[in-house]
Amino acid sequence: MLQRLSIKNFVLIEELTIEFGPDFSVITGETGAGKSIILGAIGLLMGQRADSSTLLAGADRCTIEAQFTGLDDAVGRMLEEEDIDHDDTECIIRREINAKGKSRAFVNDTPASLQLLKRLSEYLIDIHSQHQNLLLGDAQFQLSVLDLYGGHTELLSAYQDSYRTYRTLSGQLQEARLALEALRKEQDYLQYQYTQLEEAELEEGELEELAEEERQLSHAQEIRDELQQATSALSEDEHGAIPAVTYALRSVEAIRSYHAGAEEWSERLHSVRIELQDLVSTLEDETEGVTFSPKRLARVGERLDLLRGLLHRHSLREITELIALRDRLAQELERIDSSDEELHRLEQSVEESYQALLEQGQRLREARQSAAHAIEGALIASLHELGMPHVRFVIRMEEHPTPTAMGLDQVTYLFSANKDTSPEPVANIASGGEISRLMLALKALIADRRSLPTIIFDEIDTGVSGETAERIAVILRRMGSSMQVMAVTHLPQIAAAGIDHFYIYKEHGADSTRSHLRHLSEEERVEEIARMQSGSQLTEVTRAAARALLETFHSPRRTTSSRSSSHPATKS
């Protein structure tokens, strides 16, 4: 429940602290006195956006803080996920907004995101304003009422798990089909590329070897001639290198017996002669091996043209890159060949998940149908109590064309307030007052089935008066026995039903206007309710009428000992 609300420098409120009781409280005041300011402050704690226009004129910062108690377990789990210190007894939320419009949020003095505030608010407080009545025409809200009333949390969760699985597999199947379609469009071209590379019988290092062979074949005669000249230069009888070395060797050996260095020189010359003879033999063999073959040169040129053409076509530089490309193309073609099998497997998985989804959806539908019948009866009884004796309310359930995240069902609330009018969609036929009563009846019906300790009604009394207003007051007071209920109202009947009564008003100074709020005593309540009944001209008759109205909701004993009389002071 909302135990304490503190507001500082917000719109027309300079400083205010309110402490609320656990049951039914009412807030009244003149139009424009600032009731919407209080609700706006609470809205900021629920994660709504803020800007600098919310600051009190002249202030450099505004602060709004609320203390919540009686927490649902889900609040603790959320705070644990966010690594925020907490206990099971209270949660303190604070918003700070500076003059530049920058906002900071805190939960238990730990910085928090607005998204976290929104998530927390779902388990802390619900503000029901007039625009929320439009939810009656919203299909998702209509389904959520069935699920809240019927307690379908586990059924809905199981269905949504199946729905997510089905959507994920369907997405994978669609992606696989698109990928296969794209591959098949390229299949012929991929096959053409692969066949070219496969038929080329590529080998690593082949390009360099062929380039060298081409150079030799292109200069075969020149190579042969030069090798022969080199051989002649080494072995020619008169001027060859070998005869000259032989002659030098004989000369050195002639002086070996009387010159100490001659032996070494002889050995070296002998080695040179052997090396030259071996070199001549090699050159002769090489000369014999050099032949000019135009056919072989042509074949080598063709092979080089093929390899270089493939490299240019694929913008590559090395044969190893062509080999890697060939292998990749082979894998792509193999994947295309095996894709039908993979596609069939995916299609089977999608079909199985769809059948599981339908089974879960059918279980949820049956539970919803049971809840719909119970709601129809309970709601009609509640609307009779709210002064609609001829009301008819039907929940029409139809099968949705396709499964949705909320189930297989399409729900429409049909309503008629008159005997001679057939029920039609509530958004098309109900008046403002009828919608207000219908929404109140729905909220009352599901209030104790939600993990929500506090609900605030902002002018739920729109379009009603008299006996109907008194009946609304009875329902709000009854709701307050099981949860914290607050109502911003202009009707004296609802104001009189409150256990606590807060009055908001404006004070005009010489150069400023401020909104204030105070908790009314018993006598002050009489004055305020008399004003609400008859205007500013108060008499003993109007006061007596106000006391009588209060007594319809409060016995004399309860009036003197109620929490109102001992409520903590409200600072303003």
Side-chain angles (χ1 to χ4, degrees), residues 262-430:
E263 184 173 355
E264 179 189 350
W265 300 335
S266 176
E267 290 176 356
R268 291 172 66 184
L269 285 168
H270 184 70
S271 296
V272 168
R273 187 175 66 177
I274 291 173
E275 178 65 26
L276 288 173
Q277 288 172 339
D278 183 65
L279 180 58
V280 168
S281 178
T282 299
L283 292 174
E284 287 174 346
D285 290 342
E286 188 67 24
T287 301
E288 289 298 322
V290 175
T291 59
F292 176 68
S293 173
K295 289 183 178 180
R296 176 60 184 169
L297 178 61
R299 285 198 299 272
V300 169
E302 290 173 359
R303 181 67 176 172
L304 283 171
D305 288 343
L306 172 65
L307 297 178
R308 287 166 178 162
L310 289 172
L311 288 170
H312 178 73
R313 184 176 302 120
H314 297 288
S315 301
L316 301 174
R317 300 178 61 183
E318 305 289 341
I319 296 295
T320 53
E321 294 176 303
L322 283 176
I323 293 173
L325 174 60
R326 177 198 64 196
D327 294 343
R328 285 198 302 273
L329 289 170
Q331 292 174 356
E332 288 290 309
L333 290 168
E334 184 179 352
R335 186 155 71 93
I336 293 172
D337 291 337
S338 62
S339 57
D340 284 336
E341 182 180 342
E342 173 66 15
L343 207 61
H344 180 64
R345 186 190 66 78
L346 270 174
E347 287 171 345
Q348 281 187 317
S349 297
V350 169
E351 179 60 26
E352 289 170 3
S353 69
Y354 183 68
Q355 292 305 319
L357 177 67
L358 293 181
E359 289 177 11
Q360 293 286 358
Q362 187 59 37
R363 293 192 190 100
L364 183 59
R365 168 177 293 155
E366 291 170 359
R368 283 172 169 171
Q369 287 172 338
S370 177
H373 294 315
I375 289 174
E376 287 171 350
L379 205 61
I380 288 172
S382 183
L383 291 171
H384 285 171
E385 186 180 355
L386 288 172
M388 301 174 70
H390 306 299
V391 68
R392 282 182 286 174
F393 181 80
V394 179
I395 298 177
R396 184 174 66 196
M397 292 186 63
E398 300 172 302
E399 185 174 351
H400 201 280
T402 57
T404 71
M406 289 298 293
L408 309 177
D409 308 308
Q410 195 166 265
V411 172
T412 307
Y413 286 3
L414 304 177
F415 173 86
S416 171
N418 306 308
K419 289 181 178 180
D420 55 350
T421 304
S422 298
E424 294 186 26
V426 64
N428 298 343
I429 193 171

Side-chain angles (χ1 to χ4, degrees), residues 3 23 93 120 138 179 231-232 254 257 350 376 393 409 416 424 521 532:
Q3 183 166 323
D23 30 45
I93 299 177
L120 285 172
D138 181 78
T231 302
S232 297
S257 59
V350 169
E376 287 171 350
F393 181 80
D409 308 308
S416 171
E424 294 186 26
S521 67
M532 296 175 74

Side-chain angles (χ1 to χ4, degrees), residues 114-127:
L114 295 187
Q115 188 60 39
L116 176 60
L117 297 194
K118 290 177 182 178
R119 290 172 59 206
L120 285 172
S121 70
E122 293 177 5
Y123 294 92
L124 295 175
I125 194 166
D126 176 24
I127 297 180

